[in-house]
Amino acid sequence: MAILGLDVEEAAQASAPITKTSFWKHSRAYMLAVAAYMGIFIFGYDTGLGGGVLVLPTFASEFGITGTATEVANLQGNVVSILQGGCFFGALLGAPITTRIGRKWSLIGSCVVFLAGGAIQTASSGSLAQFYVGRLVCGLGVGTMSMVCPTYVSELSPKEIRGKVTGLFQVIVVIGVAFSYWINYGVTFINPSRGAVQWRIPIGFQLVPVGIMLCFLPFLKESPRWLATKHREDAALDNLAWIRKASPDDPDVQAEFAEIVAAIREEEHASKGSSWREIFAKGNPIRFIIAFLIFTFQQWSGQNSISYFAPTIFKSIGIKGASSSLLASGIYGIVKIIATGVFIAFGIERFGRKKSLALGLGLMSMFLWIIGAIFHTHPPDANAATVSSASIGMAVMIYLFVVPYCFSVGPVPWVYCSEIFNNRTRAYGLMTAAASQWFWNFFVSRFTPNMVIALSNGGIPVDLAQFFFFAAINIISCGLALLLPETKGLSLESMDVLFGSVTKEQREADIARRAADQAERSQEEEKEARKHLEEV
């Protein structure tokens, strides 16, 4: 069956059969992934932090978030979106940096940058310009992490569990978002007379997980695939064997390593040693197009719109005030954690990437049509004395909407884009993916406060058009998702066969040649060792 011109069945046969293995066997891969993904916790936490801090009266008072509705909306949009702007440039800078110095040291550097930005924000005292600088610097660190972390984790994950391990990305993101909601909710109980303490606690907390991460990073193993691209094959083999909890002489380790090296040598030969040329090599441009489109679909799926309109609907059913709104958001965050965690644990490897993505987008579109229809026929009344059945129905639809999001365009784009690129373009591919995500995230977060004004001025047609607009986009996205090739169960090196960069026969010949060279090298080393013993 050919999809996008790719022979999927042939590609699937190019990888070895999948065998079920215990959690203990792959425990080191999970351990390294969790350590690296502590930075992704900040991805979620910082994303949800800005909007929550803005509603705190002490923050608005100290930084002068006052004026007309339009002026306040612009200030709020700047505070939230400047982080996304920094993340966009951090993602762009991350690719050449991690290609040159490796995944491990790139993560260490991004942690240092983030800690500097967090310290600037926490130390801000009435200076909005200083706070902006801190947010921008934090964004550079988060943006770099957002492309380096999935690159690193995908490169060390066994193909049998790669979906689960890389899918932890979105689990950690939603946990970070939920933490920001609940910490922001918790500080509302602090007496505003204590001043800056109220807003400095959620701002300062972001330094804790990154500080812990920085303590762990020096002990992490460098990516075996990155080491192999730098022709440090002995170190690459040792790291691969350690991660797989096996000896370097283990047949499975030797076979996996032979496939890695064979693929890298093919890539070098095709591009004459220059990694950036491989972006335009056969079978590669389509991967970059997919990375851009899949994250465009994610950001325009309506999730941000729903998150924005949720407080208005909750307010209409009697949940009023800053603390109550944050409480409702906190519950929304818990729903996302549970739904995402269940899918990554039990669904990603069972149902695959394509089916999960298409089904989730279809269900999201359905819920958006329902919410939009109810909103149009029974618009929420913020001054209602009693709770209407229509308002309850909309609230239920909001929580139901987020469930298919959590098993489709929430985690799947990160899993998919972590898999499809070859070893020498993976950093640039994840750069494209992360930069696309942050670009659209910036656009949405910057203009969301201005949409609030349209809604508060009776702009029901505006919100109605948005619900139906996002519903239509999800239908289109669902159709395009069905055209994607399935990557479940394939090794990272098999992606070249899947996307037509190399034929199955050529890859098998290169692997056999590499395995023979490795066996000959081992025999020579054994002879030298025996000769040395005889001499002794």
Side-chain angles (χ1 to χ4, degrees):
M1 178 177 58
I3 299 178
L4 292 177
L6 311 174
D7 196 333
V8 179
E9 294 178 356
E10 180 179 286
Q13 295 171 1
S15 65
I18 299 176
T19 57
K20 293 185 178 180
T21 54
S22 65
F23 172 82
W24 177 251
K25 179 178 180 181
H26 297 309
S27 59
R28 287 177 178 170
Y30 281 110
M31 178 185 67
L32 293 175
V34 171
Y37 276 164
M38 290 184 72
I40 298 307
F41 176 91
I42 291 301
F43 182 135
Y45 184 83
D46 246 34
T47 301
L49 179 66
V53 169
L54 286 174
V55 303
L56 298 175
T58 54
F59 183 86
S61 174
E62 180 154 349
F63 289 95
I65 311 296
T66 58
T68 65
T70 302
E71 290 172 343
V72 171
N74 288 329
L75 289 173
Q76 290 178 338
N78 291 337
V79 170
V80 175
S81 64
I82 197 167
L83 175 82
Q84 279 78 12
C87 289
F88 173 77
F89 291 104
L92 293 179
L93 293 172
I97 292 174
T98 192
T99 299
R100 183 175 181 83
I101 69 175
R103 315 327 187 195
K104 175 180 173 179
W105 286 103
S106 296
L107 289 175
I108 292 174
S110 61
C111 283
V112 173
V113 171
F114 180 87
L115 290 173
I120 293 172
Q121 288 183 75
T122 307
S124 300
S125 181
S127 174
L128 199 55
Q130 181 180 349
F131 194 81
Y132 284 161
V133 171
R135 291 282 286 175
L136 180 64
V137 174
C138 276
L140 293 173
V142 173
T144 303
M145 291 182 198
S146 69
M147 63 80 43
V148 178
C149 287
T151 301
Y152 174 70
V153 172
S154 66
E155 290 181 341
L156 60 86
S157 302
K159 63 184 178 182
E160 299 91 343
I161 60 167
R162 190 174 60 243
K164 292 183 178 180
V165 178
T166 55
L168 286 173
F169 184 103
Q170 187 66 15
V171 176
I172 303 299
V173 167
V174 296
I175 290 175
V177 173
F179 259 78
S180 70
Y181 289 157
W182 285 103
I183 290 178
N184 284 330
Y185 172 66
V187 298
T188 60
F189 294 98
I190 296 177
N191 194 322
S193 64
R194 298 186 62 183
V197 172
Q198 189 183 49
W199 64 264
R200 279 206 171 103
I201 289 176
I203 293 293
F205 177 80
Q206 62 187 328
L207 301 176
V208 176
V210 178
I212 296 174
M213 178 183 176
L214 188 58
C215 294
F216 281 116
L217 285 178
F219 302 100
L220 263 62
K221 294 288 186 180
E222 181 56 87
S223 163
R225 286 177 167 86
W226 179 81
L227 290 169
T229 62
K230 299 301 180 182
H231 294 250
R232 296 166 58 183
E233 296 184 6
D234 290 338
L237 179 59
D238 289 341
N239 282 10
L240 181 64
W242 185 88
I243 295 169
R244 300 293 183 261
K245 302 179 77 171
S247 165
D249 297 324
D250 182 84
D252 291 338
V253 173
Q254 286 285 334
E256 183 177 0
F257 187 67
E259 186 178 15
I260 291 171
V261 175
I264 291 172
R265 298 299 171 259
E266 290 170 0
E267 295 158 13
E268 290 177 338
H269 178 74
S271 62
K272 301 184 179 356
S274 177
S275 60
W276 65 266
R277 291 182 181 177
E278 293 172 40
I279 296 174
F280 307 101
K282 181 181 179 182
N284 285 346
I286 185 62
R287 307 190 213 194
F288 285 85
I289 293 172
I290 289 174
F292 173 77
L293 288 178
I294 201 169
F295 274 98
T296 301
F297 296 155
Q298 183 198 66
Q299 291 303 303
W300 289 97
S301 65
Q303 163 63 13
N304 292 320
S305 178
I306 286 291
S307 296
Y308 162 66
F309 284 109
T312 301
I313 297 176
F314 289 139
K315 183 178 179 181
S316 73
I317 60 175
I319 304 177
K320 303 178 181 179
S323 62
S324 297
S325 177
L326 290 172
L327 175 60
S329 298
I331 296 172
Y332 184 73
I334 290 177
V335 173
K336 292 177 71 173
I337 292 174
I338 295 173
T340 306
V342 169
F343 172 69
I344 295 302
F346 304 106
I348 186 70
E349 295 297 357
R350 175 172 297 182
F351 303 109
R353 290 43 160 165
K354 181 170 70 172
K355 290 180 181 178
S356 300
L357 195 60
L359 178 61
L361 285 164
L363 290 174
M364 289 168 64
S365 178
M366 180 186 72
F367 288 125
L368 283 172
W369 287 114
I370 294 172
I371 295 171
I374 297 175
F375 216 120
H376 178 60
T377 57
H378 299 79
D381 183 2
N383 299 316
T386 59
V387 179
S388 69
S389 58
S391 294
I392 294 175
M394 283 186 285
V396 172
M397 289 299 106
I398 286 177
Y399 287 115
L400 290 178
F401 168 86
V402 80
V403 174
Y405 171 84
C406 291
F407 68 73
S408 58
V409 288
V412 172
W414 292 108
V415 174
Y416 199 82
C417 290
S418 297
E419 296 175 327
I420 61 176
F421 295 97
N422 60 33
N423 293 301
R424 286 165 56 80
T425 62
R426 187 167 296 111
Y428 291 96
L430 268 297
M431 175 199 76
T432 302
S436 301
Q437 193 265 351
W438 288 118
F439 172 78
W440 293 122
N441 206 317
F442 168 83
F443 185 88
V444 172
S445 64
R446 175 60 187 85
F447 295 104
T448 287
N450 299 94
M451 289 189 292
V452 174
I453 299 175
L455 178 61
S456 62
N457 289 334
I460 294 299
V462 175
D463 68 88
L464 179 65
Q466 294 226 4
F467 283 124
F468 290 163
F469 172 72
F470 290 126
I473 287 182
N474 284 333
I475 291 178
I476 296 172
S477 302
C478 178
L480 292 176
L482 293 172
L483 299 177
L484 294 174
E486 181 57 71
T487 58
K488 180 186 74 171
L490 298 179
S491 69
L492 294 180
E493 285 66 37
S494 295
M495 300 300 167
D496 286 334
V497 180
L498 179 64
F499 285 93
S501 297
V502 65
T503 64
K504 174 186 173 184
E505 292 74 20
Q506 182 182 347
R507 173 56 55 81
E508 289 177 344
D510 289 338
I511 293 174
R513 189 181 307 111
R514 173 61 198 175
D517 292 342
Q518 184 68 23
E520 183 179 350
R521 180 181 175 185
S522 298
Q523 291 176 357
E524 291 296 328
E525 291 176 350
E526 185 177 347
K527 288 180 181 179
E528 290 294 328
R530 189 181 298 113
K531 180 179 179 181
H532 177 70
L533 287 174
E534 291 173 353
E535 292 175 351
V536 172

